[in-house]
Amino acid sequence: MMRIGIVDTTFARFDMGRAAIDELMTHATDIKAVRRTVPGVKDLPVACKLLIEREGCEMVMALGMPGPEPIDKMCAHEASTGLIQTQLMTNTHIIEVFVHADEAESQEELAKLAEKRTREHAYNVFLLLKHPERLTEMAGTGQRQGWKDEGPLGKGDLKRAKGKGVGKVGQDAAKHGSAEAKTATAVDGVVHRG
Amino acid sequence: MMRIGIVDTTFARFDMGRAAIDELMTHATDIKAVRRTVPGVKDLPVACKLLIEREGCEMVMALGMPGPEPIDKMCAHEASTGLIQTQLMTNTHIIEVFVHADEAESQEELAKLAEKRTREHAYNVFLLLKHPERLTEMAGTGQRQGWKDEGPLGKGDLKRAKGKGVGKVGQDAAKHGSAEAKTATAVDGVVHRG
Amino acid sequence: MMRIGIVDTTFARFDMGRAAIDELMTHATDIKAVRRTVPGVKDLPVACKLLIEREGCEMVMALGMPGPEPIDKMCAHEASTGLIQTQLMTNTHIIEVFVHADEAESQEELAKLAEKRTREHAYNVFLLLKHPERLTEMAGTGQRQGWKDEGPLGKGDLKRAKGKGVGKVGQDAAKHGSAEAKTATAVDGVVHRG
Amino acid sequence: MMRIGIVDTTFARFDMGRAAIDELMTHATDIKAVRRTVPGVKDLPVACKLLIEREGCEMVMALGMPGPEPIDKMCAHEASTGLIQTQLMTNTHIIEVFVHADEAESQEELAKLAEKRTREHAYNVFLLLKHPERLTEMAGTGQRQGWKDEGPLGKGDLKRAKGKGVGKVGQDAAKHGSAEAKTATAVDGVVHRG
Amino acid sequence: MMRIGIVDTTFARFDMGRAAIDELMTHATDIKAVRRTVPGVKDLPVACKLLIEREGCEMVMALGMPGPEPIDKMCAHEASTGLIQTQLMTNTHIIEVFVHADEAESQEELAKLAEKRTREHAYNVFLLLKHPERLTEMAGTGQRQGWKDEGPLGKGDLKRAKGKGVGKVGQDAAKHGSAEAKTATAVDGVVHRG
């Protein structure tokens, strides 16, 4: 059994931990989720570190919903900095999933975003652990977790049209299953010459 | 006896250390508080580290009241960054309780906020140490220390109505005692499948 | 003899190192000051670390006068971050005394502020080393180094009235001597129950 | 065979990894590229560290395309900070290639910029590894990756004229080959006197 | 022979490395300069670390010319943070010399500033290594590298008059030689009492 850490917060307004665990379970039967909950995002880094060093987790998801004020943005920044530092200290990936309170206008929309982003990043965790080559197949394809993917650069200007609620559901197995077909730019994990 | 570090500042305008110790004592009879006071928030990180490494504290509360100016915000940011770093160096939780001078309009209100936030975070420390599963029961429920909780996302827009002074008192044992009942989203600390 | 490090800069426009040493000498006869001078505030962290690790200093004062421009503020921020990191690497307090060029309007006032703040923080160093319990007696009492203390929160609004030059002189032994009488909120360094 | 790590993201909208590998192969026949792809730029630091410590890479390229929003800029800042930290922890150069979504106005232009910058930095990696003295020959010559070089300071004002699309193509072997001729300011790698 | 590291960039538009080496050679005959050049300022930290740890340099100069855009300022900030971290990891001074593209209005002026600042900081390196007591003699005297010194605080307001081009030339041996006479505030490197 691979152990995956899941850390979320009581500050968040959506049960991101449950969504993460549920999604992970959809993709793998040999994963054990170890869950912890802390008060806020600034408590995430050390909680992740403890899951890695004391609970033997091979990867961790750090889940949070920073508030909309400047002070909340600063907290998120401090947390993110700490999460990167934690990864470097442990040589372990921590996938951060932050949903900012000002990313949506209604509570329903924010909840939906939180669920989608969490699920899509749980799938990323699955890929990083089990099928890293599939991520390379998706390199440069403008993946967006929670929103509609932007896709690889094509023609036209760069005005960003956030695909709010445009039918991108994390549970959509079809999408995940067909990830390989998404791009023709695949390059082997290891390339050499000479 | 579990040892809990309490560090506060002479810069603060409210005796946060006393409130923290008083609240901790309400919840546990086997906790010994070890208190230190430093000049300002930037002195907190090393003081916390010393309490962990030389005084055997298993968790620490870092208490401060940053001023209202941009330079004060920057000090708080530096302190927070240092506190996260300290946690990672010691594998120990430090619960930061910062009350910003511009969070209230009157001195009375600020004092009340400082007391409530400190007490509610002291309760978080108690939970982290003794009942971490209760925090998971509260995951995603929009807990706010000092202000009225926002609750889980429901319906309607996201305009934030700060519940200033709306009857949320840290000492309210009833609230704490009924935390388990607050949400139906509880997930076991460890979940596995397969 | 306890060794205290004093590091200041050639960038500063006031001889903060001399003021710090002079004040320290006023309070203790068994302290040896070890002084270093570096070009600017960003050179302070490693200079402090060297004083701690190679010169056996038990505490250090890092003294600087950042300029008034945004780039100067950024330098100060980087220096502060480094000073906190240094403390965590050495388990040693470094008391930072920064006087910003835009804190006063005239050169005379800025010089006076630099001297007062330096002296009052030198006294903090003395307390941290010799009488840490006195700092706890001052917890939450709104101490301000260089400016008039704000005092504990009382009644009224929070408009900040900087007490510029309002008769707060660092050398005022009376003030220091009567610190114990300042507040009734004293809590023992170690409190326990049960 | 020298091993060079290449890490890019699924967030990017251009296959930077492929361009980097292709360019490296143009310059050296004894380099093996080891490629990894992560979700976003904040996942780059630990991925680079793993390539250095577990895959024996002697240098790494970290490739990303941060979005145009303030939150994206903050992510890029956090990633950059982590990449510098990674280099210091491993004593290994990581050449960061970030192309910001707001650096161009059309998708075509952004794609072209991403390709040019990636290729020119791949060439920098080649020089750092094999011909560091050639970089010293270019010291102070205002090299810009992706845009037209600014050149050494000459006469006139400093208004920056971004040389968008002004015939600077990464693949331009002529440019690379004649790098030595570019400046007369060459100084030996080691200079001494006395 | 003392070894001094000199690291500059191809991004810079002035050959700062050459100026630094030339100035160092003016002051000492027993110094060997070891020069490296990297693409941009974010590559400086690890290059400095390698010079210290693998080339035995006792001090390093990190030279760069960040561009005028917000993104350039951020790069400089990240580089500075990394340079401080490098110093703390190696217990070695790294003197950062950054000249920002928006510090001057014409190219000629910027080149002159880059040369002066580099030379004056090279002299600082010489003093730190050989005559640290002379820096203490200059403590609090408002030294500015590249611009006219501001001098110690005197009378009048604090409006900053940047002494652009006001006859302060790095090569001015007279200035350097008479540094001792500059201030009467000298305090011995070590002061003690009792």
Side-chain angles (χ1 to χ4, degrees):
Chain A
M1 294 295 280
M2 245 179 212
R3 293 166 72 87
I4 305 298
I6 305 291
V7 193
D8 62 359
T9 67
T10 64
F11 187 96
R13 303 184 62 190
F14 180 82
D15 190 345
M16 299 171 80
R18 190 160 66 169
I21 293 170
D22 186 70
E23 182 71 19
L24 276 176
M25 296 301 113
T26 306
H27 299 288
T29 56
D30 60 345
I31 284 179
K32 178 184 283 196
V34 186
R35 182 173 182 180
R36 295 289 181 272
T37 303
V38 293
V41 290
K42 289 200 276 193
D43 305 307
L44 290 171
V46 76
C48 293
K49 189 150 180 279
L50 290 168
L51 283 178
I52 294 164
E53 298 189 343
R54 300 207 180 146
E55 303 292 334
C57 291
E58 292 178 49
M59 209 169 281
V60 182
M61 296 184 73
L63 315 168
M65 292 184 71
E69 308 294 334
I71 182 71
D72 298 313
K73 300 292 183 193
M74 189 53 100
C75 286
H77 168 50
E78 291 153 3
S80 294
T81 302
L83 287 168
I84 290 174
Q85 203 176 356
T86 307
Q87 294 174 74
L88 297 176
M89 290 168 93
T90 60
N91 274 358
T92 301
H93 275 287
I94 297 172
I95 297 299
E96 173 195 300
V97 187
F98 281 4
V99 178
H100 294 261
D102 53 2
E103 284 191 84
E105 272 160 35
S106 75
Q107 298 193 40
E108 291 91 336
E109 188 187 25
L110 191 64
K112 203 176 294 184
L113 176 63
E115 174 150 18
K116 280 187 191 173
R117 184 169 295 160
T118 302
R119 287 185 178 274
E120 295 191 15
H121 268 308
Y123 183 62
N124 277 334
V125 166
F126 168 71
L127 292 180
L128 269 168
L129 275 168
K130 305 270 195 179
H131 303 287
E133 75 287 355
R134 288 201 208 154
L135 286 168
T136 294
E137 288 159 4
M138 285 190 274
T141 61
Q143 299 292 311
R144 296 295 177 270
Q145 289 76 28
W147 300 119
K148 187 159 170 279
D149 295 338
E150 295 212 41
L153 288 169
K155 290 194 184 305
D157 69 17
L158 279 159
K159 265 178 205 139
R160 192 186 191 183
K162 283 198 191 171
K164 300 192 183 182
V166 187
K168 190 192 180 192
V169 186
Q171 302 94 316
D172 182 356
K175 180 204 151 184
H176 292 162
S178 64
E180 296 92 324
K182 252 185 162 172
T183 163
T185 63
V187 176
D188 290 335
V190 177
V191 184
H192 65 132
R193 166 183 169 177
Chain B
M1 294 295 280
M2 245 178 211
R3 294 166 71 87
I4 305 298
I6 305 291
V7 192
D8 62 358
T9 67
T10 64
F11 187 96
R13 303 184 63 191
F14 180 82
D15 190 345
M16 298 171 80
R18 190 159 67 169
I21 293 170
D22 186 69
E23 182 71 20
L24 276 176
M25 296 300 112
T26 306
H27 298 288
T29 57
D30 60 345
I31 284 178
K32 177 183 284 195
V34 186
R35 182 174 182 180
R36 294 289 181 273
T37 303
V38 293
V41 290
K42 290 201 276 194
D43 305 305
L44 290 171
V46 76
C48 293
K49 189 150 181 279
L50 290 168
L51 283 178
I52 293 163
E53 297 189 343
R54 299 207 181 146
E55 303 292 335
C57 291
E58 293 179 49
M59 208 168 281
V60 181
M61 295 184 73
L63 315 168
M65 291 184 72
E69 308 294 334
I71 182 71
D72 299 312
K73 301 292 183 193
M74 189 53 100
C75 286
H77 168 51
E78 292 154 2
S80 295
T81 302
L83 288 168
I84 290 174
Q85 203 175 356
T86 307
Q87 294 175 74
L88 296 177
M89 290 168 92
T90 60
N91 275 358
T92 302
H93 275 287
I94 298 172
I95 297 299
E96 173 196 301
V97 187
F98 281 4
V99 177
H100 294 261
D102 52 2
E103 284 192 84
E105 273 160 35
S106 76
Q107 297 194 40
E108 292 91 335
E109 189 187 24
L110 192 64
K112 203 177 291 183
L113 176 62
E115 174 151 17
K116 280 187 191 173
R117 184 170 294 160
T118 303
R119 288 185 179 274
E120 294 190 16
H121 268 308
Y123 183 63
N124 277 334
V125 165
F126 167 72
L127 292 181
L128 269 169
L129 275 168
K130 305 271 196 177
H131 303 287
E133 75 287 355
R134 288 202 210 153
L135 286 168
T136 294
E137 289 159 2
M138 285 191 275
T141 61
Q143 300 292 311
R144 296 292 178 271
Q145 289 77 29
W147 300 120
K148 188 158 169 281
D149 294 339
E150 295 211 40
L153 288 169
K155 291 195 183 305
D157 70 16
L158 279 159
K159 264 178 207 141
R160 191 187 191 182
K162 283 197 190 172
K164 300 193 183 182
V166 187
K168 191 193 181 189
V169 185
Q171 303 95 315
D172 183 355
K175 180 204 151 185
H176 291 164
S178 63
E180 296 92 326
K182 252 184 160 171
T183 164
T185 63
V187 176
D188 291 336
V190 177
V191 186
H192 65 132
R193 164 181 170 178
Chain C
M1 293 295 280
M2 244 177 211
R3 293 166 72 88
I4 306 299
I6 305 292
V7 193
D8 62 0
T9 67
T10 64
F11 187 96
R13 303 184 63 191
F14 181 82
D15 190 345
M16 299 171 79
R18 190 160 68 168
I21 293 170
D22 187 70
E23 182 71 20
L24 276 176
M25 296 301 113
T26 306
H27 298 288
T29 57
D30 60 344
I31 284 179
K32 178 184 282 196
V34 185
R35 182 173 181 180
R36 294 291 180 272
T37 303
V38 292
V41 291
K42 289 200 276 194
D43 305 306
L44 290 171
V46 76
C48 292
K49 189 149 179 280
L50 290 168
L51 283 178
I52 293 163
E53 298 189 343
R54 300 207 180 147
E55 303 292 334
C57 291
E58 293 179 48
M59 208 168 280
V60 181
M61 295 185 73
L63 315 169
M65 291 184 71
E69 308 294 335
I71 182 71
D72 299 312
K73 301 292 184 193
M74 190 52 100
C75 286
H77 168 51
E78 290 154 3
S80 295
T81 301
L83 287 168
I84 291 174
Q85 203 176 355
T86 308
Q87 294 175 74
L88 296 177
M89 290 168 93
T90 60
N91 274 358
T92 302
H93 275 287
I94 297 171
I95 297 299
E96 173 195 301
V97 188
F98 280 4
V99 178
H100 294 261
D102 53 2
E103 284 192 85
E105 274 160 35
S106 76
Q107 298 195 39
E108 292 90 335
E109 188 187 26
L110 192 63
K112 204 177 291 183
L113 176 63
E115 175 150 17
K116 280 187 192 173
R117 184 169 295 160
T118 303
R119 288 186 179 273
E120 295 190 15
H121 268 309
Y123 183 63
N124 276 334
V125 166
F126 167 73
L127 293 180
L128 269 168
L129 276 169
K130 305 271 195 176
H131 303 287
E133 74 288 354
R134 287 201 209 154
L135 286 168
T136 294
E137 288 158 3
M138 285 191 275
T141 61
Q143 299 292 311
R144 296 292 177 270
Q145 289 77 27
W147 300 119
K148 188 159 170 281
D149 295 338
E150 295 212 42
L153 288 169
K155 290 195 183 306
D157 69 17
L158 279 160
K159 266 179 205 140
R160 192 187 191 184
K162 283 197 191 172
K164 300 192 182 182
V166 187
K168 191 194 181 190
V169 185
Q171 302 93 317
D172 182 355
K175 180 206 151 183
H176 292 162
S178 64
E180 297 91 327
K182 253 186 160 171
T183 164
T185 62
V187 176
D188 292 335
V190 177
V191 185
H192 65 131
R193 166 183 168 177
Chain D
M1 293 296 280
M2 245 179 212
R3 294 166 71 87
I4 305 299
I6 305 291
V7 193
D8 62 359
T9 66
T10 64
F11 187 97
R13 303 184 61 192
F14 180 82
D15 190 345
M16 299 171 78
R18 190 160 66 167
I21 293 169
D22 186 70
E23 182 71 21
L24 276 176
M25 296 301 113
T26 306
H27 298 289
T29 56
D30 60 345
I31 284 179
K32 177 183 285 195
V34 186
R35 182 173 181 180
R36 294 290 180 272
T37 303
V38 293
V41 290
K42 291 200 275 193
D43 305 306
L44 291 171
V46 77
C48 293
K49 190 150 179 279
L50 290 168
L51 283 178
I52 294 164
E53 298 189 343
R54 301 209 179 144
E55 303 292 334
C57 291
E58 293 179 50
M59 209 169 281
V60 182
M61 295 185 73
L63 315 169
M65 291 184 71
E69 308 294 335
I71 183 71
D72 299 312
K73 301 291 183 192
M74 189 54 100
C75 286
H77 168 51
E78 292 154 3
S80 294
T81 302
L83 287 169
I84 291 174
Q85 203 176 355
T86 308
Q87 294 175 75
L88 296 176
M89 290 168 93
T90 60
N91 274 358
T92 301
H93 275 287
I94 298 171
I95 297 299
E96 173 196 302
V97 187
F98 280 4
V99 177
H100 294 261
D102 53 2
E103 283 192 85
E105 273 160 35
S106 75
Q107 298 194 40
E108 291 91 335
E109 189 187 24
L110 192 63
K112 204 176 291 183
L113 176 63
E115 175 150 19
K116 281 187 190 173
R117 185 169 294 161
T118 303
R119 288 185 178 274
E120 294 190 16
H121 269 308
Y123 183 63
N124 277 334
V125 166
F126 167 72
L127 292 181
L128 269 168
L129 276 169
K130 305 271 195 176
H131 303 287
E133 74 287 355
R134 287 201 210 154
L135 286 168
T136 294
E137 288 158 3
M138 286 190 274
T141 62
Q143 300 292 310
R144 297 294 177 270
Q145 289 76 28
W147 301 118
K148 188 158 170 280
D149 295 338
E150 296 212 40
L153 288 168
K155 290 194 183 307
D157 69 17
L158 279 159
K159 265 179 206 139
R160 193 188 191 182
K162 283 198 190 170
K164 300 192 183 182
V166 187
K168 191 192 179 190
V169 185
Q171 303 94 315
D172 182 355
K175 181 206 151 183
H176 291 163
S178 64
E180 296 91 328
K182 252 185 161 173
T183 164
T185 63
V187 176
D188 291 335
V190 176
V191 184
H192 66 131
R193 166 182 169 177
Chain E
M1 293 295 281
M2 245 178 212
R3 294 166 71 88
I4 305 298
I6 305 291
V7 193
D8 61 359
T9 66
T10 64
F11 187 97
R13 304 184 62 191
F14 180 82
D15 190 345
M16 299 170 80
R18 191 159 67 168
I21 293 169
D22 186 70
E23 182 70 21
L24 277 176
M25 296 301 113
T26 306
H27 298 288
T29 57
D30 60 344
I31 284 179
K32 177 184 284 195
V34 186
R35 182 174 182 180
R36 294 290 180 272
T37 303
V38 293
V41 291
K42 290 200 276 193
D43 305 306
L44 290 170
V46 76
C48 292
K49 189 150 180 278
L50 290 167
L51 283 178
I52 294 164
E53 298 188 343
R54 301 208 179 145
E55 303 292 335
C57 291
E58 292 179 50
M59 209 169 281
V60 181
M61 295 185 72
L63 314 169
M65 292 184 70
E69 308 294 334
I71 182 71
D72 299 312
K73 301 292 183 193
M74 189 54 101
C75 286
H77 168 52
E78 291 154 2
S80 295
T81 301
L83 287 169
I84 290 174
Q85 202 176 356
T86 307
Q87 294 175 75
L88 296 177
M89 290 168 93
T90 60
N91 274 358
T92 301
H93 275 288
I94 297 171
I95 297 299
E96 173 195 302
V97 187
F98 281 4
V99 178
H100 294 261
D102 53 2
E103 284 191 84
E105 273 160 34
S106 76
Q107 298 194 39
E108 292 91 336
E109 188 187 25
L110 192 64
K112 204 176 291 182
L113 176 62
E115 174 150 18
K116 281 187 190 173
R117 185 169 294 160
T118 302
R119 288 185 178 274
E120 295 190 16
H121 268 308
Y123 183 63
N124 277 334
V125 165
F126 167 72
L127 292 182
L128 270 168
L129 275 169
K130 305 271 196 176
H131 303 286
E133 75 288 354
R134 287 202 209 154
L135 286 168
T136 294
E137 288 159 3
M138 284 191 275
T141 62
Q143 299 293 310
R144 296 293 177 272
Q145 288 77 28
W147 301 118
K148 187 159 170 281
D149 295 339
E150 295 212 40
L153 289 168
K155 291 195 182 305
D157 69 17
L158 279 159
K159 265 179 205 139
R160 192 187 190 184
K162 283 196 191 173
K164 300 192 183 183
V166 188
K168 190 192 181 188
V169 185
Q171 302 94 315
D172 183 355
K175 180 205 151 183
H176 292 162
S178 65
E180 296 91 327
K182 252 185 160 171
T183 164
T185 63
V187 176
D188 291 335
V190 176
V191 185
H192 66 133
R193 166 183 168 177

